[in-house]
C-alpha cells in the first residue's frame, strides 16, 4: 500500500485514506504529536516533505515502485517496455501457431435462403432421395459451375434437425415430381432440404415409372468409421464430425436425418457411405453412437453417385473421446 505523504490519501483511482499526525524536525530529532489530524489535512512541514521527496527519488533510481509518482523508476520503465515489446511479438506468433495446428475447416456448401426448383423421381428406398435425369429441366440440379451428371441422386431431408416425412414419400414414392427446396453439396454428395412440402406437385404418377433406383452391386464388405449425420456433414455445420459435433449429430439422427459412415484413408481423404437396413429401407441406429467409431457389415451398392451399405450387422467400437487419431 502506498499513500501520499502530505495528506495520507492513496493515489487515484483509489480512495482509501490513512490518518496523519503533526511532525516537526528540531535539531536533527523528529517529533510526532500523537494526536491525529483531520483526514486529508495537508502537512505544513515543507522541509520534511522535501527531504522525503529526496529519499523517494533515491529509491526510484533503484527500481522501487512508487504508485503516486508521475513516472516509473527508470529501471522499471525499461523492464516494462521490454515486456510489452516481447508480448507484441509473441502473442501474434502464438495465435498463428495455434491456428496452424487446428484441423482444416470442413468442406461443403449450404445455400441457405436460396430456394430452387427441383424436378425428378422420388424414391423412398434405400434412403429418401430424388433421382434427377439429364433431361430434367430442373433449375439448380448441379452446383454452380458444375456440369449436370446423368442420374444424379439427391438425398432428401426436412427443415432443421429432421428427416423427410416418411408418409410424404410413401404417398409419392416413384412419382415424378416438382418442388421447392434448398441445395447442399459436398464432393459426391448432393442433398435437398425440402422446407416447403406443400410445394410438391406430381407431374407423372408412379405407375408410369420405374420406382426402383438404378444401382450397381459392389459385393459384401465390412467398414469401420465414424457415424455422422449426413445433413450437417454435407454442408450445414462446420465442423460436422468428432466429439465437438456429437450433441448436434445425436439430435439430427434422432430426427430422421439419414445416417452415414465416414471413412478416411491414410492421406486424410474422406468418403461417406450411406447406411440402410438389409431390406433396403432407412436404417434405424442408436443415435447415441453419433461421432463414435462403429463397424458396419453388409452389401455395398452404388446408386448413381451415392454409395449405400445395406447393413446386416453393426458393432460399437470406440466412443468419440477415446479416439486419438483418424479412424
Amino acid at each position: 500500500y502506498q499513500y501520499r505523504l502530505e495528506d495520507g490519501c492513496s493515489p487515484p483511482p483509489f480512495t482509501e485514506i490513512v490518518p496523519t499526525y503533526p511532525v516537526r524536525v528540531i535539531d536533527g530529532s523528529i517529533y510526532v504529536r500523537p494526536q491525529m489530524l483531520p483526514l486529508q489535512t495537508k502537512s505544513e512541514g515543507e522541509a520534511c516533505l522535501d527531504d522525503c521527496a529526496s529519499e523517494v527519488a533515491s529509491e526510484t533510481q533503484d527500481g522501487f515502485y512508487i504508485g503516486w509518482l508521475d513516472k516509473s523508476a527508470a529501471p522499471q520503465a525499461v523492464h516494462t517496455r521490454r515486456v510489452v515489446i516481447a508480448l507484441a511479438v509473441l502473442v501474434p506468433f502464438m495465435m498463428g501457431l495455434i491456428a496452424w495446428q487446428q484441423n482444416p475447416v470442413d468442406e461443403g456448401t449450404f445455400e441457405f435462403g436460396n430456394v430452387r426448383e427441383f424436378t425428378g423421381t422420388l424414391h423412398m428406398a434405400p434412403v429418401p432421395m430424388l433421382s434427377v435425369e439429364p433431361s430434367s429441366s430442373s433449375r439448380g440440379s448441379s452446383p454452380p459451375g458444375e456440369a449436370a451428371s446423368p442420374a444424379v441422386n439427391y438425398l432428401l431431408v426436412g427443415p432443421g434437425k429432421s428427416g423427410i416425412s416418411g408418409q410424404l414419400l410413401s404417398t409419392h414414392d416413384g412419382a415424378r415430381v416438382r418442388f421447392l427446396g434448398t441445395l447442399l453439396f459436398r464432393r459426391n454428395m448432393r442433398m435437398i432440404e425440402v422446407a416447403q412440402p406443400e410445394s410438391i406437385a406430381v407431374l407423372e404418377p408412379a405407375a408410369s415409372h420405374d420406382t426402383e433406383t438404378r444401382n450397381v452391386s459392389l459385393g459384401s464388405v465390412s467398414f469401420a468409421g465414424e457415424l455422422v449425420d449426413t445433413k450437417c456433414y454435407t454442408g450445414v455445420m462446420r465442423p460436422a464430425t468428432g466429439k465437438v459435433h456429437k450433441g448436434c449429430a445425436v439430435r439430427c439422427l434422432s430426427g430422421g436425418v439419414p445416417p452415414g459412415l465416414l471413412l478416411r484413408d491414410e492421406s486424410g481423404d474422406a468418403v461417406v457411405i450411406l447406411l440402410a437396413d438389409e431390406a433396403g429401407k432407412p436404417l434405424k441406429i442408436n443415435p447415441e453412437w453419433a461421432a463414435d467409431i462403429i463397424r458396419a457389415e453388409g452389401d455395398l451398392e452404388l446408386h448413381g453417385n451415392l454409395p449405400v451399405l445395406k447393413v446386416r450387422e453393426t458393432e460399437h467400437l470406440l466412443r468419440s473421446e477415446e479416439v486419438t487419431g483418424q479412424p
Side-chain angles (χ1 to χ4, degrees), residues 15-27:
T15 58
E16 291 82 3
I17 304 171
V18 296
T20 59
Y21 299 84
V23 178
R24 291 292 182 270
V25 180
I26 303 175
D27 296 332

Side-chain angles (χ1 to χ4, degrees), residues 54-78:
S54 302
E55 288 190 27
V56 167
S58 175
E59 290 286 355
T60 57
Q61 296 307 311
D62 297 331
F64 185 74
Y65 176 72
I66 307 295
W68 44 265
L69 291 180
D70 293 336
K71 294 183 179 181
S72 298
Q76 192 169 30
V78 171

